[in-house]
Amino acid sequence: MSTEVESAQKAPTPEVLAEVEREHEEELVTAGDNLEALNRMRSQFFGPKGRITSLLRSVGQLPAEQRREAGARTNQLKQTLEAKLVVRINALESVEKEKELRRSRLDLTLPGRLAHPRGALHPVNRVIEEMVDILTRMGFELATGPEVELDWYNFEALNFPKDHPARDMQDTFFIASPDGKGTLEHVLRTHTSPVQTRELERRGAPLRIIAPGRVYRCDSDATHSPMFHQIEGLWVDEGVSMAHLKGVLTSFINALFGERGVRFRPSFFPFVEPGVEVDVGCVFCGGTGCRVCKHTGWMEILGAGMVHPKVLENCKVDPERYTGFAFGLGIDRVAMQRWGIDDLAHLFRSDVRFLSQL
Ligand code: PHE
């Protein structure tokens, strides 16, 4: 402050101006790249009470004949010095701005605020993936077949003779023939077993395949849907026996449900002999008996059996040389058990509110 008062009293003689210029030069060096110091300098020299401002003001006190020259000198100096300072300040400010911009640059890789919620696999597909995973590790190959199937592969080759009562177990959707003659050669496949006959015929033995997919039956209630999912398994080779069937299915069921016990019961399917139904210890009560397992402690989960020699014959595979076993399992029921779903239809309504709870 004292300098300002002092300089207010000093007249802007060339010596005084030279002095101010030198000081300005020195302070500029001291301030360096310190923007704050530079701004402080700006008001010290050029602010309302600044040194140069005061010098300009003191011009008025000079004798009239000196004023013009002193005023011009002082103004000249003011312009030069202030320009130097401002150039420096502007340069530093733009560097700062640049830094700031770089710091707050838009990151376009960040997810947007209105991003759609991430989707997930349908529970049925999750179960399929898990089953395929277990079975391919056991050496089974993935196979597929058409959903609109020939009666031959779906029934006839599987040893369901025409008009045989075993066909009544599967209420079928028949497809009108394109020629309009009313022949019922095409059906929506009622199970995945036609993949057995198709692949056996096409590729012959030895063969070890699994085939998950959609199947159709004219049936609809809380536990039946006209469309549902099955996975088929088939292993044909020399010397394949019932022991292989039990070993593979026990490992598969244990991997899928955990070790809860497996039970084999005799059953009938026209394309196997002998045929079995396979149960797993109830996943709800653990075997002690509850409403879900109808107090038996067991839940039926799949059909299986040794491939009937007639089926091998129908597919041009020598039944004297080859034997095999097959199994078929409903996928939707496993998904229902896993997530405690009480109505099969929930799985097929595509309601995100339901699916996102799983
Ligand atoms: N295809 C039979 C069904 O849908 C299941 C099955 C498959 C049974 C293979 C035995 C062997 O009921």
Side-chain angles (χ1 to χ4, degrees):
M1 288 295 131
S2 60
T3 32
E4 283 171 24
V5 177
E6 244 170 67
S7 58
Q9 287 153 354
K10 270 187 193 166
T13 59
E15 294 74 34
V16 168
L17 289 178
E19 164 87 11
V20 171
E21 183 171 9
R22 206 168 35 77
E23 274 176 36
H24 186 274
E25 215 56 59
E26 274 170 16
E27 286 199 31
L28 206 56
V29 172
T30 320
D33 284 346
N34 187 336
L35 198 54
E36 238 174 81
L38 291 170
N39 277 319
R40 224 178 301 125
M41 258 185 89
R42 191 172 190 179
S43 68
Q44 266 166 26
F45 283 87
F46 311 102
K49 291 180 186 166
R51 300 195 58 184
I52 304 262
T53 320
S54 305
L55 283 173
L56 275 174
R57 220 174 278 136
S58 67
V59 170
Q61 294 160 12
L62 290 172
E65 67 277 8
Q66 292 177 21
R67 276 185 210 157
R68 175 191 274 274
E69 215 199 309
R73 263 202 309 265
T74 313
N75 258 324
Q76 170 91 51
L77 186 67
K78 179 187 176 199
Q79 270 165 26
T80 319
L81 297 187
E82 194 166 25
K84 270 192 191 172
L85 192 57
V86 167
V87 164
R88 177 84 68 89
I89 287 173
N90 285 348
L92 284 172
E93 273 176 354
S94 66
V95 168
E96 282 296 311
K97 212 172 278 172
E98 183 80 15
K99 272 193 205 154
E100 175 62 29
L101 278 176
R102 206 165 297 152
R103 226 176 295 134
S104 63
R105 199 169 45 178
L106 265 188
D107 183 350
L108 298 176
T109 64
L110 287 175
R113 246 175 253 164
L114 291 174
H116 292 289
R118 197 183 286 193
L121 272 186
H122 191 279
V124 167
N125 287 327
R126 265 144 83 178
V127 173
I128 290 178
E129 279 198 356
E130 198 183 323
M131 291 176 174
V132 168
D133 201 47
I134 297 167
L135 290 163
T136 48
R137 265 185 278 137
M138 294 165 96
F140 287 86
E141 238 181 278
L142 206 55
T144 55
E147 289 170 29
V148 177
E149 186 52 284
L150 286 169
D151 181 280
W152 167 258
Y153 293 111
N154 191 83
F155 289 126
E156 200 82 21
L158 285 166
N159 203 29
F160 286 82
K162 286 220 185 342
D163 304 320
H164 190 282
R167 290 201 183 199
D168 296 346
M169 285 163 51
Q170 305 190 356
D171 305 292
T172 310
F173 290 111
F174 289 93
I175 307 285
S177 58
D179 61 12
K181 281 190 191 136
T183 48
L184 302 174
E185 266 172 37
H186 291 88
V187 297
L188 288 182
R189 65 179 183 188
T190 57
H191 51 179
T192 41
S193 301
V195 184
Q196 287 186 39
T197 40
R198 270 186 179 275
E199 289 296 279
L200 263 181
E201 184 189 76
R202 191 169 74 86
R203 297 167 64 182
L207 189 67
R208 198 182 339 174
I209 53 163
I210 46 170
R214 279 188 272 272
V215 301
Y216 302 83
R217 291 186 201 177
C218 189
D219 218 348
S220 186
D221 61 35
T223 51
H224 296 88
S225 146
M227 187 282 297
F228 59 104
H229 299 80
Q230 285 190 337
I231 186 166
E232 193 80 10
L234 174 72
W235 186 346
V236 175
D237 204 340
E238 289 179 35
V240 173
S241 73
M242 192 80 185
H244 295 100
L245 179 154
K246 289 186 79 174
V248 165
L249 291 181
T250 305
S251 308
F252 173 56
I253 291 166
N254 283 342
L256 197 61
F257 294 98
E259 315 252 341
R260 314 179 165 273
V262 181
R263 179 172 79 163
F264 294 80
R265 284 181 291 113
S267 185
F268 172 78
F269 303 95
F271 42 97
V272 289
E273 181 58 36
V276 290
E277 253 159 347
V278 186
D279 303 336
V280 61
C282 178
V283 298
F284 293 100
C285 64
T288 53
C290 66
R291 221 159 41 93
V292 180
C293 61
K294 299 190 182 89
H295 304 283
T296 61
W298 297 97
M299 294 194 321
E300 181 201 322
I301 60 151
L302 63 82
M306 299 306 294
V307 179
H308 198 291
K310 197 86 182 88
V311 173
L312 295 176
E313 236 167 64
N314 287 339
C315 301
K316 319 262 180 316
V317 172
D318 181 4
E320 294 300 323
R321 181 168 170 203
Y322 290 103
T323 51
F325 70 85
F327 60 92
L329 172 157
I331 292 167
D332 315 270
R333 209 161 341 134
V334 175
M336 286 174 80
Q337 285 161 8
R338 183 141 310 174
W339 285 282
I341 300 163
D342 55 6
D343 188 345
L344 183 62
H346 282 312
L347 286 176
F348 308 128
R349 271 193 199 120
S350 300
D351 188 331
V352 181
R353 288 170 305 176
F354 165 75
L355 293 171
S356 60
Q357 291 172 40
L358 303 179

